[in-house]
Amino acid sequence: RTSLPIFISPTASWRRVPCRATMPSLEETASNALGAATNGMPVRADSIRSIASNLLNLTLAMVILIVLWPLLLFVMAAIYWEDRGPIFYRQTRIGFAGKPFQILKFRSMRVNAQANGAQWAAKNDSRATRIGQFMRKYHIDELPQIFNILKGEMSFIGPRPEQPEFVERLCTQLPYYAERHNVKPGLAGWAQLKYPYGACDKDALEKLKYDLYYVKHRNIWFDLSIFVQTIEVVCFAQGSR
């Protein structure tokens, strides 16, 4: 067991909190990232940054919808044609301040693929349909989350939202995991760029380091950098699962 320092507020002192994992490389990242947390409770961003971020998200979402609507219609038709199943897939995820919301995706798996409970998606997942494999390769299945962004539930850039079952378990296993919820979840994120697709709790720990770094250092320029790099990843089908 080790202890990591947590900064409570600009006027408070440091206190020690037990850590369940012995990860020296996580200590500096975690202690720096938690400057945005007060007594373990989520803190909203300042008004100016929030307004700027919301305007940027809304503008990008509308532009993408206008540009990509032919592709979206084609994908919807292809999904339905393959097995006559539902076109969209809704799933509960944990968002800002730990609040659940319904994330929207194009269905890329067989109907009732999660009948046995929540599972990590895997590379070359056998549950994926043929059109689903293509969508996952180019991350097209994530595009309907633009509507989550328009509703204010997500941002273009931020930590990826996870299922409640995973969040509950990871919060007890990984120090500071809940700090990811101090910002809105994102369609793309720093962890997705810097770490291969995760499919287990160990991967979640590695990606947590990048999420905490983002929570601490996020700004509009950092977001734009991630956005541009994400476009490059999508165009070259990197990081697909």
Side-chain angles (χ1 to χ4, degrees), residues 47 49-59 149 152 154 184:
S47 299
R49 184 168 63 184
S50 295
I51 292 174
S53 177
N54 289 337
L55 287 176
L56 179 61
N57 283 322
L58 290 175
T59 301
I149 294 173
M154 293 180 62
K184 286 183 180 180

Side-chain angles (χ1 to χ4, degrees), residues 89-95 99-105 144-145 147-149 151 153-154 161 164:
Y89 177 70
R90 292 175 174 82
Q91 188 178 61
T92 300
R93 298 292 178 94
I94 300 300
K99 296 179 180 179
F101 71 100
Q102 292 291 310
I103 198 171
L104 187 65
K105 292 185 175 187
Q145 289 162 45
F147 293 102
N148 290 113
I149 294 173
K151 292 172 63 178
E153 298 169 330
M154 293 180 62

Side-chain angles (χ1 to χ4, degrees), residues 219-235:
N219 57 62
I220 189 170
W221 304 115
F222 193 13
D223 285 356
L224 287 174
S225 174
I226 295 173
F227 184 77
V228 171
Q229 293 181 67
T230 298
I231 293 177
E232 295 176 354
V233 169
V234 171
C235 289

Side-chain angles (χ1 to χ4, degrees), residues 196-224:
Y197 190 79
C200 65
D201 290 2
K202 181 180 178 181
D203 290 338
L205 173 60
E206 294 300 320
K207 297 182 79 168
L208 174 61
K209 301 173 187 177
Y210 295 104
D211 285 336
L212 292 178
Y213 180 88
Y214 172 79
V215 170
K216 174 62 178 178
H217 299 283
R218 67 192 179 97
N219 57 62
I220 189 170
W221 304 115
F222 193 13
D223 285 356
L224 287 174

